Amino acid sequence: MCRFLFFIAAFLLATSPTLFSQQLVERMEPPNWWVGMASEDLEIMLYGKNIGAYEVRLEKYEGVVLKEVKRVQNNNYVFLNLTLAPQTAPGNLTITLNSKKEAPKHLSYPLLPREGTNKNTVGFSSADVVFLITPDRFVNGDTSNDNVNGFEDKVNRKDKGGRHGGDVQGIINHLDYISDMGFTSLWITPMLENAMPKNSYHGYAITDFYKVDPRFGSKDLYRSMVKKANEKGLTVIMDMVANHIGLNHWWMKDLPSQDWINQWPEYTETNHRKSIILDPYAAEEDRKIFFDGWFVRTMPDLNQKNPELATYLIQNAIWWIEYSGISGIRMDTYPYPDMEFMNDWSAAISKEYPLFTIVGEEWSTNPNQVAYWQEGKENYNGYKSHLKSVMDFPLQNALVNSLNNEKSWASSWIELYETLAQDYVYANPNNLMIFSDNHDMSRMYTQLNENYDLYKLALVYLATTRGIPQIYYGTEILKTNPGSDDHGIIRSDFPGGWQKDKVNAFTGHGMSLKQKDAQEFVKKLLNWRKSTTVIHSGSLKHFAPKNKEEVYVFFRYNNQKKIMVILNKNTEDVLLDLTTYREILGESLSGREVLNNVRINAVSKLSVKARNAMIIEVE
């Protein structure tokens, strides 16, 4: 056995429960399906000891046809390929397993009626502001599920990489806080089962695609959370992973086939060279290592070229949408899986839910690499994506750099200005997800060296420029990670989410005056944005920052309204000559400054305070 497979075998021997139960069929996935779906195809995976030796037939059911019984390398798996005619009625399919040695066995498979509103689910858009939560670190709403029998990773709040106890109930209990702050959508990092021996809290090493981790709650409670969030005006974005699984995934104990994962003679990690995708000179070996290499040793890389696995992953995403009522998906590491599979995956979801939104993570500061993945982009190699939204890492990077850079012969705003000026490479810039920070990078307040004035400039920009803003939990109360970029510290507990916390950000108890001010600032800004539709979809015009000047001005406008945004990074007040902006303002400026609720009456010059932002509703 090669060293790589020996490593897997040794790990599983130490961590796995008994391989098989006594019942014939241990798993049937997806656990149910719905009639009336846009696609008539359905693949059912049956798993059980030697199930491949049984004859499988489908008892007569009007509108349902068993097209193929596919047996694979591992005799413990059978894949059933069915078609469901549009007129098929809900009910229970009967699947019969025959053997010469024993009596027939009958399986009941539910076909459920589809809720009429699901196919018209409207995804998130530039009208939304997204609140990103790492659930283990947000609120512990149910202490009874902190530790669960059979799961090694126990709650230990003193361990930065350990589980801390946050859960679904904690989110439910604080939906009012999220809504009152002005957020309209929730992106929650993965909550599916992560039965890993350590560092399981983050959720990205999935061990069961159809099960919410019991330390978070149940899938029914998750569905209830989505419904309650919707009732409060919040949509929910589910974080999914198609590139890899956790090493303790039940598949790894008994793979359907050797090509279910990308195998190597010895452990090979991805090179993370995403530029390979666009590189006309890239070596095939480098491409293979990028796509097929493992993310880390504990996360086996899935081979989406395997047709049964590809269908499994597509159906799993659709199952969660239909079952839970989520309004969006954030797909982790979008460029890493097989490219054609990701196209098929996103296209299949769009076919079922035309108004649904998927955002893909492409961590690159090069706009050309990010633009490659967005739907509507005409790529040099003919690749046509079906992905509506991509995360705008270039803009986040430029914003932080512009705020931190010192003034030289040119304005320090130039990097941000020129990054936005490259929006011509995107098919739809307004569908990009822009963000202050996220769970994989230092807190924004830390990135800005805990400069409160720069923090407010950044938030004003994010709330008023094009795109879909996303803010990480705790950013609204100045969370930091000083002296460390350890993810466990970046994803530290939200104060007040645990009983006996000395600081409670939900009530204000124990918070500093600056934290309270930041929280109120964010609340005012986002609630104003919520009802200001010109920010959601209006045109954008920005003016090049003048050399040696530290002022950046842009406008959002449509036929009904104009918004002027002024960002002054100078350490002193500035008297702004408005004649520069006459093409959109005319000869003078009148309106209301939003942040301080101050009237402005027919001025040609405007005093802007040092390190200050102004948002003006122009009249």
Side-chain angles (χ1 to χ4, degrees):
M1 181 181 292
C2 70
R3 284 179 290 169
F4 183 36
L5 292 180
F6 177 81
F7 166 79
I8 293 176
F11 182 93
L12 294 175
L13 185 62
T15 58
S16 300
T18 303
L19 192 61
F20 294 112
S21 68
Q22 297 303 310
Q23 66 188 64
L24 174 60
V25 179
E26 296 186 31
R27 290 180 180 268
M28 183 164 56
E29 293 179 347
N32 67 271
W33 204 245
W34 293 267
V35 297
M37 302 294 281
S39 174
E40 297 182 7
D41 295 325
L42 171 63
E43 174 190 276
I44 301 174
M45 184 188 73
L46 301 181
Y47 174 70
K49 190 171 181 62
N50 292 323
I51 197 170
Y54 287 76
E55 177 193 12
V56 183
R57 75 167 187 268
L58 179 69
E59 302 301 327
K60 185 175 181 181
Y61 193 105
E62 187 68 30
V64 181
V65 174
L66 177 59
K67 294 192 302 181
E68 181 185 19
V69 177
K70 184 163 185 179
R71 292 168 174 83
V72 291
Q73 186 179 20
N74 187 336
N75 207 37
N76 295 328
Y77 290 84
V78 169
F79 292 86
L80 310 182
N81 293 320
L82 297 84
T83 58
L84 281 63
Q87 72 275 12
T88 303
N92 289 298
L93 298 178
T94 299
I95 300 168
T96 300
L97 304 175
N98 288 313
S99 170
K100 295 179 180 179
K101 298 181 180 179
E102 53 191 298
K105 292 179 171 56
H106 304 287
L107 306 175
S108 182
Y109 188 82
L111 293 179
L112 304 179
R114 191 179 189 190
E115 291 187 22
T117 57
N118 277 2
K119 64 182 178 181
N120 297 317
T121 296
V122 177
F124 58 93
S125 70
S126 54
D128 291 299
V129 179
V130 179
F131 191 55
L132 167 58
I133 293 174
T134 300
D136 180 67
R137 305 301 173 85
F138 187 53
V139 180
N140 189 347
D142 181 4
T143 57
S144 70
N145 63 16
D146 285 359
N147 296 308
V148 176
N149 290 336
F151 289 80
E152 295 180 57
D153 203 7
K154 305 299 183 183
V155 163
N156 180 4
R157 287 187 74 191
K158 294 180 180 179
D159 179 3
K160 64 181 183 295
R163 296 193 78 95
H164 291 189
D167 49 33
V168 177
Q169 191 60 54
I171 297 172
I172 292 173
N173 293 349
H174 292 85
L175 290 172
D176 283 335
Y177 168 81
I178 299 166
S179 178
D180 290 346
M181 283 297 299
F183 295 100
T184 58
S185 189
L186 276 173
W187 159 19
I188 306 170
T189 55
M191 302 191 82
L192 300 187
E193 183 193 87
N194 269 236
M196 300 294 286
K198 62 181 182 178
N199 292 318
S200 67
Y201 77 93
H202 58 71
Y204 289 97
I206 294 168
T207 56
D208 191 323
F209 278 107
Y210 282 99
K211 184 179 179 183
V212 167
D213 195 295
R215 292 162 293 184
F216 287 139
S218 67
K219 67 178 186 293
D220 288 344
L221 187 63
Y222 183 92
R223 178 169 59 180
S224 176
M225 176 197 69
V226 173
K227 182 178 180 181
K228 291 177 186 294
N230 292 169
E231 291 169 354
K232 295 183 183 295
L234 296 161
T235 59
V236 175
I237 303 167
M238 189 176 194
D239 206 332
M240 292 189 176
V241 188
N243 180 63
H244 51 263
I245 54 176
L247 194 54
N248 254 13
H249 193 290
W250 68 269
W251 283 334
M252 296 302 295
K253 303 168 180 65
D254 195 34
L255 286 172
S257 58
Q258 287 302 302
D259 69 346
W260 200 256
I261 63 170
N262 288 311
Q263 304 270 12
W264 295 84
E266 58 183 22
Y267 175 71
T268 301
E269 195 162 287
T270 176
N271 53 27
H272 298 287
R273 296 275 70 84
K274 288 172 282 185
S275 57
I276 283 170
I277 297 165
L278 278 72
D279 183 359
Y281 313 115
E284 285 305 311
E285 176 67 8
D286 290 334
R287 289 177 60 86
K288 178 175 175 55
I289 292 173
F290 170 72
F291 286 113
D292 296 352
W294 288 27
F295 218 71
V296 294
R297 284 184 178 271
T298 55
M299 292 180 179
D301 197 72
L302 293 172
N303 174 25
Q304 301 84 16
K305 293 186 181 71
N306 179 293
E308 285 72 46
L309 173 61
T311 301
Y312 181 99
L313 294 172
I314 290 169
Q315 288 186 166
N316 178 256
I318 292 171
W319 188 91
W320 277 108
I321 299 169
E322 194 71 21
Y323 170 79
S324 67
I326 56 173
S327 299
I329 292 171
R330 180 264 187 183
M331 176 52 77
D332 184 62
T333 57
Y334 194 88
Y336 286 79
D338 179 73
M339 293 169 58
E340 295 305 325
F341 162 76
M342 290 312 303
N343 241 1
D344 293 342
W345 178 86
S346 52
I349 293 172
S350 295
K351 180 179 179 180
E352 295 290 350
Y353 312 97
L355 304 178
F356 195 80
T357 308
I358 304 168
V359 59
E361 180 198 30
E362 162 54 300
W363 194 324
S364 171
T365 57
N366 182 343
N368 287 289
Q369 284 185 220
V370 175
Y372 180 85
W373 299 102
Q374 192 177 32
E375 185 176 53
K377 173 69 172 177
E378 293 187 9
N379 289 307
Y380 80 97
N381 60 359
Y383 185 79
K384 293 183 178 180
S385 177
H386 295 283
L387 181 67
K388 288 184 181 179
S389 178
V390 193
M391 300 185 71
D392 196 347
F393 282 90
L395 198 71
Q396 193 277 339
N397 181 69
L399 175 60
V400 170
N401 286 346
S402 285
L403 289 169
N404 283 333
N405 288 345
E406 297 294 329
K407 178 172 61 176
S408 61
W409 68 271
S411 170
S412 60
W413 286 113
I414 286 296
E415 183 173 347
L416 181 61
Y417 170 84
E418 292 190 344
T419 298
L420 193 70
Q422 295 178 67
D423 270 9
Y424 61 86
V425 305
Y426 297 111
N428 189 343
N430 214 37
N431 268 353
L432 298 174
M433 180 173 280
I434 60 176
F435 54 99
S436 58
D437 48 7
N438 66 26
H439 57 299
D440 289 327
M441 60 172 59
S442 287
R443 293 282 181 168
M444 187 180 73
Y445 198 41
T446 293
Q447 291 185 56
L448 298 176
N449 302 305
E450 298 189 21
N451 186 308
Y452 187 46
D453 293 331
L454 298 183
Y455 162 89
K456 290 199 287 187
L457 289 174
L459 286 174
V460 168
Y461 182 78
L462 289 166
T464 54
T465 192
R466 56 82 176 139
I468 307 164
Q470 169 256 297
I471 294 174
Y472 194 31
Y473 81 99
T475 294
E476 78 276 23
I477 56 167
L478 304 178
K479 265 193 158 303
T480 61
N481 54 292
S484 174
D485 59 1
D486 187 286
H487 286 177
I489 294 175
I490 291 168
R491 306 161 185 169
S492 61
D493 296 345
F494 192 81
W498 281 254
Q499 293 181 6
K500 300 181 180 180
D501 278 359
K502 293 180 180 179
V503 178
N504 190 329
F506 298 114
T507 66
H509 178 75
M511 292 174 64
S512 70
L513 292 177
K514 188 175 285 187
Q515 285 179 310
K516 290 180 180 179
D517 186 73
Q519 194 176 46
E520 285 302 312
F521 179 80
V522 172
K523 184 175 183 179
K524 183 173 186 176
L525 180 63
L526 299 191
N527 278 289
W528 167 80
R529 187 190 192 278
K530 187 186 294 186
S531 59
T532 309
T533 57
V534 65
I535 297 295
H536 307 163
S537 57
S539 299
L540 189 151
K541 184 184 293 288
H542 65 167
F543 289 78
K546 296 178 181 177
N547 291 347
K548 298 185 180 180
E549 289 191 6
E550 295 292 86
V551 180
Y552 184 25
V553 177
F554 62 93
F555 292 81
R556 301 300 304 276
Y557 61 98
N558 56 26
N559 292 334
Q560 291 77 41
K561 197 163 187 175
K562 295 176 186 175
I563 303 291
M564 182 180 190
V565 181
I566 305 169
L567 304 174
N568 177 20
K569 210 183 118 181
N570 288 286
T571 54
E572 55 195 29
D573 295 356
V574 169
L575 187 62
L576 194 64
D577 185 353
L578 300 179
T579 58
T580 300
Y581 318 107
R582 69 165 65 93
E583 69 181 81
I584 191 165
L585 278 181
E587 296 304 317
S588 64
L589 169 65
S590 295
R592 181 181 76 93
E593 201 287 312
V594 171
L595 298 175
N596 296 293
N597 196 24
V598 174
R599 287 285 311 164
I600 299 170
N601 293 309
V603 298
S604 58
K605 293 186 178 181
L606 186 65
S607 178
V608 186
K609 291 183 178 179
R611 291 285 173 102
N612 197 52
M614 297 180 75
I615 302 173
I616 302 167
E617 295 177 332
V618 179
E619 296 175 355

